[in-house]
Coordinates of all heavy atoms in Angstrom, one line a residue:
M13 N 104.1 105.3 116.1 CA 103.7 104.3 117.0 C 103.8 102.9 116.3 O 104.7 102.2 116.6 CB 102.2 104.5 117.4 CG 102.1 105.6 118.4 SD 100.4 105.6 119.1 CE 100.7 105.8 120.8
A14 N 102.9 102.5 115.5 CA 103.0 101.2 114.9 C 103.9 101.3 113.6 O 103.5 101.2 112.5 CB 101.6 100.8 114.4
E15 N 105.2 101.4 113.9 CA 106.1 101.6 112.8 C 107.1 100.4 112.8 O 108.2 100.5 112.4 CB 106.9 102.9 113.0 CG 106.1 104.1 112.6 CD 106.9 105.3 112.6 OE1 107.9 105.4 113.4 OE2 106.5 106.2 111.9
R16 N 106.7 99.3 113.2 CA 107.5 98.1 113.2 C 107.8 97.6 111.8 O 108.9 97.3 111.4 CB 106.9 97.0 114.0 CG 107.0 97.2 115.5 CD 106.2 96.2 116.3 NE 104.7 96.4 115.9 CZ 103.8 95.7 116.3 NH1 104.1 94.6 117.1 NH2 102.5 95.9 116.0
K17 N 106.7 97.5 111.0 CA 106.9 97.0 109.7 C 106.5 98.1 108.6 O 105.5 98.8 108.8 CB 106.0 95.8 109.5 CG 106.6 94.6 110.1 CD 105.7 93.4 109.7 CE 106.1 92.2 110.5 NZ 105.1 91.1 110.4
S18 N 107.2 98.1 107.6 CA 106.9 99.0 106.5 C 106.2 98.2 105.5 O 106.7 97.1 105.1 CB 108.2 99.7 106.0 OG 107.8 100.4 104.8
P19 N 105.1 98.7 104.9 CA 104.4 97.9 103.9 C 105.1 97.9 102.5 O 104.7 97.2 101.7 CB 103.0 98.6 103.8 CG 103.3 100.0 104.3 CD 104.5 99.9 105.2
V20 N 106.1 98.7 102.4 CA 106.7 98.8 101.1 C 108.2 98.5 101.3 O 108.8 98.7 102.4 CB 106.6 100.2 100.5 CG1 105.1 100.3 99.9 CG2 106.9 101.3 101.4
R21 N 108.9 98.2 100.2 CA 110.3 97.9 100.3 C 111.1 99.2 100.4 O 110.8 100.2 99.8 CB 110.7 97.1 99.0 CG 110.1 95.7 99.1 CD 110.7 94.9 97.9 NE 109.9 93.8 97.6 CZ 109.6 93.4 96.4 NH1 110.2 93.9 95.4 NH2 108.8 92.3 96.2
N22 N 112.2 99.0 101.1 CA 113.1 100.2 101.3 C 113.8 100.6 100.0 O 114.4 101.7 100.0 CB 114.1 99.9 102.4 CG 113.4 99.9 103.7 OD1 112.4 100.5 103.9 ND2 114.0 99.2 104.6
T23 N 113.8 99.8 99.0 CA 114.5 100.2 97.8 C 113.8 101.2 97.0 O 114.3 101.9 96.1 CB 114.7 99.0 96.9 OG1 113.4 98.3 96.7 CG2 115.7 98.0 97.5
E24 N 112.5 101.4 97.3 CA 111.7 102.4 96.6 C 112.0 103.8 97.1 O 112.3 104.0 98.3 CB 110.2 102.1 96.7 CG 109.8 100.9 95.9 CD 108.3 100.7 95.9 OE1 107.7 101.5 95.1 OE2 107.8 99.9 96.6
K25 N 111.7 104.8 96.2 CA 111.9 106.2 96.6 C 110.6 106.8 96.8 O 109.6 106.4 96.3 CB 112.6 106.9 95.4 CG 114.1 106.5 95.3 CD 114.8 107.4 94.4 CE 114.1 107.5 93.0 NZ 114.8 108.5 92.1
C26 N 110.6 107.9 97.6 CA 109.5 108.7 97.8 C 108.8 109.2 96.5 O 109.5 109.5 95.6 CB 109.9 109.9 98.7 SG 108.6 111.0 99.1
S27 N 107.5 109.1 96.5 CA 106.8 109.5 95.2 C 106.6 111.0 95.0 O 106.1 111.4 94.0 CB 105.4 108.9 95.2 OG 105.5 107.5 95.3
V28 N 107.0 111.7 96.0 CA 106.8 113.2 95.9 C 107.9 113.7 94.9 O 109.1 113.3 95.0 CB 107.0 113.9 97.3 CG1 107.0 115.4 97.1 CG2 105.9 113.4 98.2
V29 N 107.4 114.6 94.0 CA 108.3 115.1 93.0 C 109.5 115.8 93.7 O 109.3 116.6 94.6 CB 107.5 116.1 92.1 CG1 108.5 116.8 91.2 CG2 106.5 115.3 91.3
G30 N 110.7 115.5 93.2 CA 111.9 116.1 93.8 C 112.4 115.5 95.0 O 113.4 116.0 95.5
C31 N 111.8 114.5 95.5 CA 112.3 113.9 96.7 C 112.7 112.4 96.4 O 112.1 111.7 95.7 CB 111.1 113.8 97.8 SG 111.7 113.1 99.3
S32 N 113.9 112.1 97.0 CA 114.4 110.7 96.7 C 114.8 110.0 98.0 O 115.6 109.1 98.0 CB 115.6 110.8 95.7 OG 116.6 111.6 96.3
N33 N 114.1 110.3 99.0 CA 114.3 109.7 100.3 C 113.7 108.3 100.2 O 112.7 108.0 99.5 CB 113.7 110.4 101.4 CG 114.4 111.7 101.7 OD1 115.6 111.8 101.5 ND2 113.8 112.7 102.2
P34 N 114.2 107.3 101.0 CA 113.6 106.0 101.1 C 112.2 106.0 101.6 O 111.8 106.9 102.5 CB 114.5 105.2 102.0 CG 115.3 106.3 102.8 CD 115.4 107.5 101.9
V35 N 111.4 105.1 101.1 CA 109.9 105.1 101.4 C 109.7 104.6 102.8 O 110.3 103.6 103.3 CB 109.2 104.2 100.4 CG1 107.8 104.0 100.8 CG2 109.2 104.8 99.0
E36 N 108.8 105.3 103.5 CA 108.5 104.8 104.9 C 107.0 104.3 104.9 O 106.8 103.2 105.4 CB 108.5 106.1 105.8 CG 108.1 105.8 107.2 CD 109.2 105.1 108.0 OE1 110.3 105.0 107.6 OE2 108.8 104.6 109.1
R37 N 106.1 105.0 104.2 CA 104.7 104.6 104.2 C 104.1 104.8 102.8 O 104.6 105.6 102.1 CB 103.9 105.4 105.2 CG 104.2 105.2 106.6 CD 103.9 103.7 106.9 NE 104.4 103.4 108.3 CZ 103.6 103.3 109.3 NH1 102.3 103.6 109.2 NH2 104.1 103.0 110.5
S38 N 103.1 104.0 102.5 CA 102.4 104.3 101.3 C 100.9 104.7 101.6 O 100.3 104.1 102.5 CB 102.4 103.2 100.3 OG 101.6 102.2 100.7
V39 N 100.4 105.7 100.9 CA 99.0 106.1 101.1 C 98.3 106.2 99.8 O 99.0 106.2 98.7 CB 98.9 107.4 101.8 CG1 99.6 107.3 103.2 CG2 99.5 108.5 101.0
A40 N 97.0 106.3 99.7 CA 96.4 106.5 98.4 C 96.8 107.8 97.8 O 97.0 108.8 98.5 CB 94.9 106.5 98.6
R41 N 97.0 107.7 96.5 CA 97.5 108.9 95.8 C 96.6 110.1 96.0 O 97.1 111.2 96.2 CB 97.6 108.5 94.3 CG 98.2 109.6 93.5 CD 97.8 109.6 92.0 NE 98.2 110.8 91.4 CZ 99.3 111.0 90.7 NH1 100.0 110.0 90.5 NH2 99.6 112.2 90.2
E42 N 95.3 109.9 95.9 CA 94.4 111.0 96.1 C 94.5 111.6 97.5 O 94.4 112.8 97.6 CB 92.9 110.5 95.9 CG 92.6 110.1 94.4 CD 91.6 109.0 94.3 OE1 90.8 108.9 95.2 OE2 91.7 108.3 93.4
A43 N 94.7 110.8 98.4 CA 94.8 111.2 99.8 C 96.0 112.1 99.9 O 96.0 113.1 100.6 CB 94.8 110.1 100.8
A44 N 97.1 111.7 99.3 CA 98.3 112.4 99.4 C 98.2 113.8 98.7 O 98.6 114.8 99.2 CB 99.4 111.6 98.7
E45 N 97.5 113.8 97.6 CA 97.3 115.0 96.9 C 96.4 116.0 97.6 O 96.6 117.2 97.6 CB 96.8 114.7 95.5 CG 97.9 114.2 94.6 CD 97.3 113.9 93.2 OE1 96.2 113.6 93.0 OE2 98.2 113.9 92.2
E46 N 95.4 115.4 98.3 CA 94.6 116.2 99.2 C 95.4 116.9 100.3 O 95.1 118.0 100.7 CB 93.5 115.4 99.8 CG 92.3 115.3 98.9 CD 91.3 114.3 99.5 OE1 91.2 114.1 100.7 OE2 90.5 113.6 98.7
G47 N 96.4 116.2 100.6 CA 97.3 116.8 101.7 C 98.3 117.8 101.1 O 99.2 118.2 101.8
G48 N 98.2 118.0 99.8 CA 99.1 119.1 99.2 C 100.4 118.6 98.7 O 101.2 119.3 98.3
L49 N 100.5 117.3 98.6 CA 101.8 116.7 98.1 C 101.8 116.6 96.6 O 100.7 116.2 96.0 CB 102.1 115.3 98.8 CG 102.3 115.4 100.3 CD1 102.4 114.0 100.8 CD2 103.5 116.2 100.6
D50 N 102.9 116.8 96.0 CA 103.0 116.7 94.5 C 103.5 115.3 94.2 O 104.7 115.1 94.2 CB 103.9 117.8 94.1 CG 103.8 118.1 92.6 OD1 102.9 117.5 92.0 OD2 104.6 118.9 92.1
I51 N 102.6 114.4 93.8 CA 103.0 113.1 93.6 C 103.4 112.8 92.1 O 102.7 113.3 91.2 CB 101.8 112.1 93.9 CG1 101.4 112.3 95.4 CG2 102.2 110.7 93.7 CD1 102.5 112.1 96.4
D52 N 104.4 112.1 91.9 CA 104.9 111.8 90.6 C 103.9 111.2 89.8 O 103.1 110.3 90.2 CB 106.1 110.9 90.8 CG 107.1 110.9 89.6 OD1 106.9 111.9 88.8 OD2 107.9 110.0 89.5
E53 N 103.8 111.6 88.5 CA 102.8 111.1 87.6 C 103.0 109.6 87.4 O 104.2 109.1 87.3 CB 102.8 111.8 86.3 CG 102.0 113.1 86.3 CD 101.9 113.7 85.0 OE1 101.7 112.9 84.0 OE2 102.0 114.9 84.8
G54 N 101.9 108.8 87.3 CA 102.0 107.4 87.0 C 102.1 106.6 88.3 O 102.0 105.4 88.2
C55 N 102.1 107.2 89.4 CA 102.1 106.4 90.7 C 100.6 106.3 91.1 O 99.9 107.3 91.3 CB 102.9 107.2 91.8 SG 104.6 107.3 91.4
K56 N 100.2 105.0 91.2 CA 98.8 104.8 91.7 C 98.7 105.0 93.2 O 97.8 105.5 93.7 CB 98.4 103.4 91.4 CG 97.8 103.3 90.0 CD 96.9 102.1 90.0 CE 96.0 102.2 88.7 NZ 95.1 101.0 88.5
R57 N 99.8 104.6 93.9 CA 99.8 104.9 95.3 C 101.0 105.8 95.5 O 102.0 105.9 94.8 CB 100.0 103.6 96.1 CG 98.8 102.8 96.1 CD 98.9 101.6 97.0 NE 99.0 101.9 98.4 CZ 98.0 102.3 99.2 NH1 96.8 102.4 98.7 NH2 98.2 102.6 100.4
A58 N 100.8 106.6 96.6 CA 101.9 107.6 96.9 C 102.8 106.9 98.0 O 102.3 106.6 99.1 CB 101.3 108.8 97.5
H59 N 104.0 106.7 97.6 CA 104.9 106.2 98.6 C 105.7 107.3 99.2 O 106.4 108.1 98.5 CB 105.9 105.2 97.9 CG 105.2 104.0 97.3 ND1 105.8 103.2 96.4 CD2 104.0 103.5 97.5 CE1 105.0 102.2 96.1 NE2 103.8 102.4 96.8
L60 N 105.5 107.5 100.5 CA 106.1 108.7 101.1 C 107.2 108.3 102.0 O 107.2 107.3 102.7 CB 105.0 109.3 102.0 CG 103.7 109.7 101.2 CD1 102.7 110.4 102.2 CD2 104.0 110.6 100.1
C61 N 108.2 109.2 102.1 CA 109.3 109.1 103.0 C 108.8 109.5 104.4 O 107.7 110.0 104.5 CB 110.5 109.9 102.5 SG 110.2 111.7 102.6
K62 N 109.6 109.3 105.3 CA 109.2 109.7 106.7 C 108.8 111.1 106.8 O 107.8 111.4 107.4 CB 110.4 109.4 107.6 CG 110.1 109.0 109.0 CD 111.3 108.8 109.8 CE 111.1 107.7 110.8 NZ 112.4 107.3 111.4
D63 N 109.6 112.0 106.2 CA 109.3 113.5 106.3 C 108.0 113.8 105.7 O 107.2 114.5 106.3 CB 110.5 114.3 105.7 CG 111.7 114.2 106.6 OD1 111.6 113.7 107.7 OD2 112.8 114.6 106.1
H64 N 107.8 113.3 104.5 CA 106.6 113.7 103.8 C 105.4 113.0 104.4 O 104.3 113.6 104.4 CB 106.7 113.3 102.3 CG 107.5 114.3 101.5 ND1 108.6 114.0 100.8 CD2 107.2 115.6 101.3 CE1 109.0 115.2 100.2 NE2 108.2 116.1 100.5
Y65 N 105.6 111.8 104.9 CA 104.4 111.2 105.6 C 104.0 112.0 106.8 O 102.8 112.2 107.1 CB 104.8 109.8 106.0 CG 103.7 109.0 106.7 CD1 102.6 108.7 106.1 CD2 103.8 108.7 108.1 CE1 101.5 108.0 106.7 CE2 102.8 108.1 108.7 CZ 101.6 107.7 108.0 OH 100.6 107.1 108.7
R66 N 105.0 112.5 107.5 CA 104.7 113.3 108.7 C 104.0 114.5 108.3 O 103.0 115.0 109.0 CB 106.0 113.6 109.5 CG 106.1 112.9 110.8 CD 106.9 113.6 111.8 NE 108.2 114.0 111.2 CZ 109.4 113.7 111.7 NH1 109.4 113.0 112.8 NH2 110.5 114.1 111.2
E67 N 104.5 115.2 107.3 CA 104.0 116.4 106.8 C 102.5 116.2 106.3 O 101.6 116.9 106.7 CB 104.8 116.9 105.6 CG 104.4 118.1 104.9 CD 104.7 119.4 105.8 OE1 105.6 119.3 106.6 OE2 104.1 120.4 105.6
W68 N 102.4 115.1 105.6 CA 101.0 114.8 105.1 C 100.0 114.6 106.2 O 98.9 115.0 106.2 CB 101.1 113.6 104.2 CG 99.8 113.0 103.8 CD1 99.0 113.5 102.8 CD2 99.1 111.9 104.3 NE1 97.9 112.8 102.7 CE2 97.9 111.8 103.6 CE3 99.4 111.0 105.3 CZ2 97.0 110.8 103.9 CZ3 98.5 110.0 105.6 CH2 97.3 109.9 104.9
K69 N 100.5 113.9 107.2 CA 99.6 113.6 108.3 C 99.2 114.8 109.1 O 98.0 115.0 109.5 CB 100.3 112.6 109.3 CG 99.5 111.4 109.5 CD 100.1 110.3 110.3 CE 100.9 110.7 111.5 NZ 101.4 109.5 112.3
R70 N 100.2 115.7 109.2 CA 99.9 117.0 109.9 C 98.9 117.8 109.1 O 97.9 118.4 109.6 CB 101.2 117.8 110.0 CG 101.1 118.9 111.1 CD 102.4 119.4 111.5 NE 103.3 119.6 110.3 CZ 104.6 119.7 110.3 NH1 105.2 119.4 111.4 NH2 105.3 119.9 109.2
V71 N 99.1 117.9 107.8 CA 98.2 118.7 106.9 C 96.8 118.1 106.9 O 95.8 118.8 107.1 CB 98.8 118.8 105.5 CG1 97.7 119.4 104.6 CG2 100.0 119.6 105.5
T72 N 96.7 116.8 106.7 CA 95.3 116.2 106.6 C 94.6 116.3 107.9 O 93.4 116.5 107.9 CB 95.4 114.8 106.1 OG1 96.3 114.1 107.0 CG2 95.9 114.6 104.7
K73 N 95.3 116.2 109.0 CA 94.7 116.3 110.3 C 94.1 117.7 110.5 O 93.0 117.9 110.9 CB 95.7 116.0 111.4 CG 95.0 115.8 112.7 CD 96.1 115.5 113.7 CE 95.5 115.6 115.1 NZ 96.5 115.7 116.2
K74 N 94.9 118.7 110.1 CA 94.5 120.0 110.2 C 93.3 120.3 109.4 O 92.4 121.0 109.8 CB 95.7 121.0 109.7 CG 95.7 122.3 110.5 CD 96.8 123.2 109.9 CE 98.2 122.7 110.2 NZ 99.2 123.5 109.6
E75 N 93.3 119.8 108.1 CA 92.2 120.1 107.3 C 90.9 119.5 107.8 O 89.9 120.0 107.7 CB 92.5 119.5 105.9 CG 93.3 120.5 105.1 CD 93.5 120.0 103.6 OE1 93.1 118.8 103.3 OE2 94.1 120.7 102.8
R76 N 91.0 118.3 108.4 CA 89.9 117.7 108.9 C 89.3 118.5 110.1 O 88.1 118.6 110.2 CB 90.3 116.3 109.4 CG 89.1 115.3 109.4 CD 89.5 113.9 109.7 NE 90.5 113.4 108.7 CZ 91.3 112.4 108.9 NH1 91.3 111.8 110.1 NH2 92.1 112.0 108.0
E77 N 90.2 119.0 110.9 CA 89.7 119.8 112.0 C 89.0 121.1 111.5 O 87.9 121.5 111.9 CB 90.9 120.2 112.9 CG 91.3 119.1 113.8 CD 92.6 119.3 114.5 OE1 93.1 120.5 114.4 OE2 93.1 118.4 115.1
I78 N 89.6 121.7 110.5 CA 89.0 122.9 109.9 C 87.7 122.6 109.3 O 86.7 123.3 109.4 CB 90.0 123.6 108.9 CG1 91.2 124.1 109.6 CG2 89.3 124.7 108.1 CD1 92.3 124.5 108.7
G79 N 87.7 121.5 108.5 CA 86.5 121.1 107.8 C 85.3 120.8 108.8 O 84.2 121.1 108.4
S80 N 85.6 120.3 109.9 CA 84.5 120.0 110.8 C 84.0 121.3 111.5 O 83.0 121.2 112.2 CB 85.0 119.0 111.9 OG 86.0 119.6 112.7
L81 N 84.7 122.3 111.3 CA 84.3 123.5 112.0 C 83.4 124.4 111.1 O 83.5 125.6 111.0 CB 85.5 124.4 112.4 CG 86.3 123.9 113.7 CD1 87.4 124.8 113.9 CD2 85.3 123.9 114.9
G82 N 82.5 123.8 110.4 CA 81.6 124.6 109.6 C 82.0 125.0 108.2 O 82.1 126.1 107.9
H83 N 82.3 124.0 107.5 CA 82.6 124.2 106.1 C 81.4 124.1 105.3 O 80.6 123.2 105.5 CB 83.7 123.2 105.6 CG 83.9 123.2 104.2 ND1 84.2 124.4 103.5 CD2 83.9 122.3 103.2 CE1 84.4 124.1 102.2 NE2 84.2 122.9 102.0
Ligands
ZN117 ZN1 109.7 112.5 100.5

């Protein structure tokens, strides 16, 4: 939806280990790791490509739903 501007430069690569796609979004490193993403060491923030951002959003959303159901 609100994808007009990217907060990071396109020259950067995705922070997920093994991924070198251009960055689409950046999120807190801890948040990304909570979503099951393997973030490159030394990155304070997780810069995610489009695919990983989508994946991360899906996972974190799911976890939140599960968590609210009596954890
Ligand atoms: Zn990626």
Side-chain angles (χ1 to χ4, degrees):
M13 281 190 136
E15 287 187 329
R16 285 170 293 176
K17 279 186 193 169
S18 173
V20 287
R21 290 188 200 142
N22 287 335
T23 50
E24 287 188 77
K25 289 192 305 179
C26 180
S27 303
V28 176
V29 173
C31 181
S32 57
N33 290 332
V35 170
E36 175 80 11
R37 292 298 172 101
S38 78
V39 301
R41 185 202 168 99
E42 289 148 29
E45 285 180 333
E46 272 173 31
L49 295 176
D50 198 6
I51 303 304
D52 203 15
E53 276 190 41
C55 297
K56 272 207 163 172
R57 286 186 69 77
H59 296 165
L60 305 180
C61 66
K62 210 179 211 170
D63 288 348
H64 277 123
Y65 179 69
R66 247 206 314 234
E67 178 76 20
W68 172 77
K69 239 173 37 174
R70 197 166 47 202
V71 171
T72 52
K73 194 182 168 197
K74 209 185 291 174
E75 276 186 355
R76 205 172 301 160
E77 281 168 11
I78 293 169
S80 66
L81 282 179
H83 174 50

